[in-house]
């Protein structure tokens, strides 16, 4: 008896950055650990025989397809209740008056449980299979978020946030001291590594200074040492807006990127949120250290004070994925962020001030396609986290969304006109809603099924 399971249907993915590969009615073989062991194409010699012999778990019908599960590189889990709220304020006012009072509430684990359970469920139902989460400064509630990811089958990378500078943070929401922040971070790392023993899809601890302005030099250095000692992921905000960029220049006489590197925080498996102001010199440091950027296009439209030149950074060789930045970004959907990534890049290229002559209005060669943006949300995320996810191929986790273009709630008809594989995917990326996400699988396990709702 075979121990493998089989899935059959059309596949869209980008095994090479930004290059769409379409596999018609492929047969995907998955081992008991949820890893893809073979993708048999319709043109392969053994295809017919393999299809006859396979006991197929899920065979898609016409109008349905597999997409890789999305990888969200930047979510503030505690800010979920605040999604869509107070977005007319500048970042520092939004943080001080709205966000910090909300995040302080997670001292109460009952409140945390309620919010985190809902958030993880909602992200899964939008096709997001892996998430890099900021929690709060609280050890217990941060551990709870990781446990909820494990229970619900999502691949979670979770950080207890550090904000240890008493000068920079409100008394009601900061670490008790630098020593306490470091000691609790280490305790958090060890607890998550223990929890990971019972999480087949993986759960990972993440070293998480909120951003340079909220941390002391000792705090940042201590966190850099912990990241080194345990060889784990790091996340923070880096050069998000003009204020942060200038603040760090003033304090250190260096860019945010250089400062993070000095403290040992710019490294392999480090994901820097936003990076809107990083220069080509900073980009070279990202490449040298193996760090990546989490592009958060909806949030950036509100708080960045500019548009990040994604196309140029990618050309330079910087690894980039996509993030919602709940709740700086109001939408929990990476579909929405894919669209905004395209639109922001188009506005950067064309420019926005029509009183200027057309040729001096924008930044040439800046636009990305919707397929590029899809690649950021899938392969880009996997590359940034250095995990075998985001592509449907041998050796990668079977993390997929089953898309149904014929769902009655939101049918996506092509009227037999636009039938190329690229057109089919474009239509899905621009027009699909939750109605069209029929099932979601993480590491070979079904974690969302619309039928069951
Ligand atoms: N910089 C520091 N904290 C935050 C946050 O919570 N959201 C955003 N967008 N930027 C930040
Ligand atoms: Fe953020």
């Amino acid at each position: 008896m075979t121990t493998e399971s089989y899935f059959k249907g059309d596949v869209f993915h980008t095994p090479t950055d930004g290059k769409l590969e379409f596999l018609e009615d492929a047969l995907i073989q998955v081992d008991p650990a949820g890893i893809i062991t073979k993708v048999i194409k319709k043109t392969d010699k053994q295809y017919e025989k393999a299809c006859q012999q396979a006991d197929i778990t899920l065979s898609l019908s016409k109008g349905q397809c597999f997409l890789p599960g999305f990888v969200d590189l930047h979510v503030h889990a505690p800010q979920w209740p605040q999604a869509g709220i107070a977005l007319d304020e500048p970042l520092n006012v939004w943080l001080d008056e709205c966000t910090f009072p909300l995040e302080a509430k997670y001292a109460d684990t009952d409140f945390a449980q309620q919010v985190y359970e809902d958030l993880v469920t909602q992200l899964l139902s939008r096709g997001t299979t892996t998430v890099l989460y900021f929690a709060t400064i609280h050890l217990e509630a941060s551990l709870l978020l990781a446990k909820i990811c494990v229970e619900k089958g999502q691949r979670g990378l979770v950080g207890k946030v550090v904000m240890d500078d008493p000068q920079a943070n409100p008394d009601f929401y900061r670490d008790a001291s630098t020593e306490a922040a470091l000691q609790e971070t280490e305790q958090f790392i060890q607890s998550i590594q223990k929890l990971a023993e019972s999480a087949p899809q993986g759960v990972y601890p993440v070293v998480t200074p909120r951003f340079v302005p909220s941390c002391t030099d000792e705090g940042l250095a201590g966190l850099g040492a912990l990241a080194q000692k345990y060889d784990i992921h790091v996340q923070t905000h880096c050069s998000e807006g003009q204020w942060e960029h200038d603040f760090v220049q003033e304090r250190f006489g260096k860019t945010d990127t250089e400062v993070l590197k000095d403290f040992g925080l710019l490294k392999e498996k480090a994901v820097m949120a936003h990076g809107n102001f990083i220069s080509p010199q900073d980009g070279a440091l990202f490449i040298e250290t193996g760090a990546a950027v989490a592009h958060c296009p909806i949030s950036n439209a509100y708080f960045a004070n500019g548009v990040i030149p994604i196309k140029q950074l990618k050309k330079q060789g910087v690894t980039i994925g996509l993030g919602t930045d709940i709740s700086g970004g109001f939408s929990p959907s990476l579909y929405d962020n894919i669209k905004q990534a395209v639109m922001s890049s188009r506005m950067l290229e064309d420019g926005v001030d029509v009183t200027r002559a057309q040729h001096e209005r924008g930044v040439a060669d800046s636009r990305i396609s919707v397929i590029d943006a899809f690649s950021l949300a899938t392969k880009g995320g996997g590359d940034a986290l250095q995990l075998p996810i985001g592509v449907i191929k041998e050796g990668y986790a079977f993390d997929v969304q089953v898309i149904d273009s014929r769902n009655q709630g939101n049918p996506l008809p092509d009227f037999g006109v636009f039938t190329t594989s690229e057109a089919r995917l474009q239509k899905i990326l621009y027009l699909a809603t939750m109605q069209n996400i029929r099932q979601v699988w993480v590491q070979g396990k079904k974690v969302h099924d619309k039928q069951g709702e």
Side-chain angles (χ1 to χ4, degrees):
M1 205 182 101
T2 172
T3 52
E4 257 83 18
S5 46
Y6 294 87
F7 299 81
K8 187 164 167 282
D10 293 349
V11 169
F12 292 94
H13 67 162
T14 56
T16 308
D17 270 347
K19 297 240 174 347
L20 175 62
E21 181 179 63
F22 172 66
L23 307 174
E24 189 189 350
D25 210 16
L27 184 67
I28 306 165
Q29 179 180 292
V30 179
D31 75 11
I35 304 298
I36 299 169
T37 43
K38 217 183 273 179
V39 177
I40 306 172
K41 296 179 193 166
K42 209 169 179 178
T43 48
D44 290 348
K45 256 210 250 86
Q46 76 269 40
Y47 178 81
E48 289 300 335
K49 193 156 169 228
C51 288
Q52 278 162 18
Q53 287 175 348
D55 179 9
I56 298 176
T57 303
L58 177 66
S59 187
L60 302 191
S61 45
K62 236 179 147 37
Q64 299 183 339
C65 65
F66 293 110
L67 302 186
F70 286 156
V71 181
D72 191 333
L73 288 183
H74 190 48
V75 172
H76 294 270
Q79 294 175 18
W80 178 224
Q82 194 187 337
I85 292 170
L87 288 166
D88 299 319
E89 304 292 350
L91 183 65
N92 54 335
V93 176
W94 181 83
L95 285 173
D96 288 344
E97 291 183 6
C98 208
T99 309
F100 293 161
L102 170 61
E103 290 196 14
K105 286 189 193 294
Y106 291 76
D108 173 358
T109 49
D110 289 341
F111 180 65
Q113 174 110 18
Q114 212 184 321
V115 176
Y116 290 164
E117 285 204 350
D118 184 63
L119 175 64
V120 174
T121 304
Q122 296 240 26
L123 291 174
L124 283 171
S125 64
R126 287 171 173 82
T128 301
T129 47
T130 298
V131 184
L132 178 55
Y133 286 111
F134 273 60
T136 57
I137 63 166
H138 313 98
L139 180 62
E140 250 193 280
S142 304
L143 283 169
L144 186 60
L145 172 58
K147 283 187 194 139
I148 290 169
C149 291
V150 173
E151 278 164 21
K152 293 193 176 287
Q154 189 175 59
R155 187 176 298 96
L157 298 95
V158 181
K160 176 218 133 23
V161 174
V162 171
M163 304 163 64
D164 70 313
D165 188 346
Q167 317 281 284
N169 302 296
D171 287 344
F172 67 83
Y173 189 54
R174 63 175 163 80
D175 291 292
S177 66
T178 302
E179 297 70 45
L182 296 176
Q183 189 266 324
E184 286 185 9
T185 298
E186 186 153 21
Q187 202 181 330
F188 179 77
I189 294 167
Q190 291 173 353
S191 301
I192 299 287
Q193 289 187 333
K194 187 103 195 80
L195 179 66
E197 291 166 15
S198 57
Q201 80 276 25
V203 61
Y204 303 83
V206 185
V207 166
T208 308
R210 180 167 211 119
F211 62 162
V212 170
S214 61
C215 297
T216 63
D217 291 11
E218 298 72 33
L220 292 166
L223 290 175
L226 285 174
Q228 193 78 26
K229 176 173 169 187
Y230 289 92
D231 185 22
I232 54 176
H233 292 85
V234 174
Q235 63 183 341
T236 189
H237 298 85
C238 172
S239 289
E240 175 178 1
Q242 192 70 54
W243 174 79
E244 180 188 348
H245 192 62
D246 295 347
F247 179 97
V248 175
Q249 269 292 344
E250 209 151 290
R251 177 164 148 197
F252 292 98
K254 293 181 180 182
T255 66
D256 222 345
T257 304
E258 290 167 333
V259 169
L260 291 165
K261 179 167 187 281
D262 288 350
F263 285 116
L265 292 162
L266 196 78
K267 61 184 273 296
E268 301 261 329
K269 294 188 282 187
V271 177
M272 301 292 151
H274 306 284
N276 296 303
F277 285 72
I278 65 174
S279 64
Q281 290 76 19
D282 290 333
L285 294 179
F286 272 78
I287 295 163
E288 179 192 313
T289 56
V293 170
H295 176 35
C296 306
I298 293 183
S299 171
N300 288 347
Y302 291 83
F303 295 128
N305 318 116
V307 177
I308 182 173
I310 284 300
K311 172 96 173 271
Q312 295 306 326
L313 288 170
K314 269 227 71 88
K315 238 188 203 173
Q316 188 184 353
V318 178
T319 302
I320 304 174
L322 217 53
T324 55
D325 191 23
I326 291 169
S327 66
F330 57 79
S331 171
S333 164
L334 277 176
Y335 284 89
D336 289 344
N337 278 276
I338 284 172
K339 288 175 269 207
Q340 186 64 49
V342 175
M343 292 189 285
S344 294
S345 77
R346 298 290 291 254
M347 293 178 86
L348 178 62
E349 181 165 304
D350 283 347
V352 295
D353 182 357
V354 293
T355 64
R356 290 168 179 257
Q358 188 175 9
H359 69 274
E360 59 179 36
R361 223 181 273 155
V363 180
D365 197 20
S366 294
R367 67 162 77 172
I368 62 169
S369 71
V370 76
I371 306 296
D372 292 330
F374 168 66
S375 189
L376 294 179
T378 53
K379 179 175 189 296
D383 289 347
L385 297 173
Q386 303 192 4
L387 293 173
I389 56 175
V391 180
I392 300 175
K393 77 173 189 192
E394 190 181 329
Y396 281 61
F398 184 72
D399 293 2
V400 298
Q401 327 174 34
V402 176
I403 303 299
D404 184 1
S405 298
R406 297 186 175 183
N407 179 280
Q408 283 312 301
N410 186 44
L412 308 174
D414 60 28
F415 300 102
V417 184
F418 300 104
T419 54
T420 65
S421 53
E422 186 164 352
R424 202 173 137 201
L425 180 61
Q426 286 171 339
K427 197 178 252 309
I428 290 168
L429 294 173
Y430 277 117
L431 297 178
T433 65
M434 285 168 73
Q435 297 283 348
N436 304 100
I437 305 173
R438 193 185 173 97
Q439 291 183 0
V440 178
W441 294 68
V442 178
Q443 193 106 5
K445 189 167 165 247
K446 188 161 60 174
V447 294
H448 169 72
D449 194 336
K450 254 188 81 59
Q451 296 294 90
E453 278 176 356

